[in-house]
Amino acid sequence: MNCDCANSTFKDNHHQHIVTGNLDVIEHVELKNLLKKGLNYRDQAPPNKHKTKKAVKNALDEYIKKKSSKVSKPEIMFAEWRNAILATVQTKLDNYPSYPYNAVLQKSHVIDELNSLQNQFCFCTY
């Protein structure tokens, strides 16, 4: 495997490769800030109103199924109530303001920089 470690000021003389936890080895500010958050950090996804409504609908249908069995009534008897709740949820979702989210790894220049670093160096965790 070829790498560019020999040209770096971060090269460890014993290993002849970069062995460092110093993030100054990464010049790209957004990528460096992302990596500072640690290995357990997950980039945020944009809010998804469709998934939210689907999750509410599935939970509501499951609740209706259990409740209808418990009270010995057909599920269709809950339809009007179910539709009213789903309409309320839809209205709330439609009126919910969007908010900023952090999706650094969806930016093409950040991905390009990460790919460049991966081509130049070998990254390992220990």
Side-chain angles (χ1 to χ4, degrees), residues 59-76:
L60 192 55
D61 288 345
E62 186 65 29
Y63 174 80
I64 289 170
K65 185 177 181 179
K66 288 180 182 177
K67 196 64 161 174
S68 78
S69 175
K70 187 174 183 178
V71 296
S72 300
K73 300 286 181 188
E75 291 180 28
I76 195 72

Side-chain angles (χ1 to χ4, degrees), residues 8-10 18 20-36 109-110 113-118 120-121 123:
S8 176
T9 58
F10 294 94
I18 297 174
T20 184
N22 185 346
L23 291 178
D24 288 338
V25 70
I26 299 169
E27 295 175 3
H28 193 277
V29 176
E30 284 182 291
L31 186 55
K32 184 189 299 189
N33 288 337
L34 182 66
L35 293 174
K36 280 181 183 178
H109 65 278
V110 175
E113 179 64 20
L114 184 57
N115 288 334
S116 173
L117 286 168
Q118 289 172 330
Q120 293 173 343
F121 306 108
F123 290 93

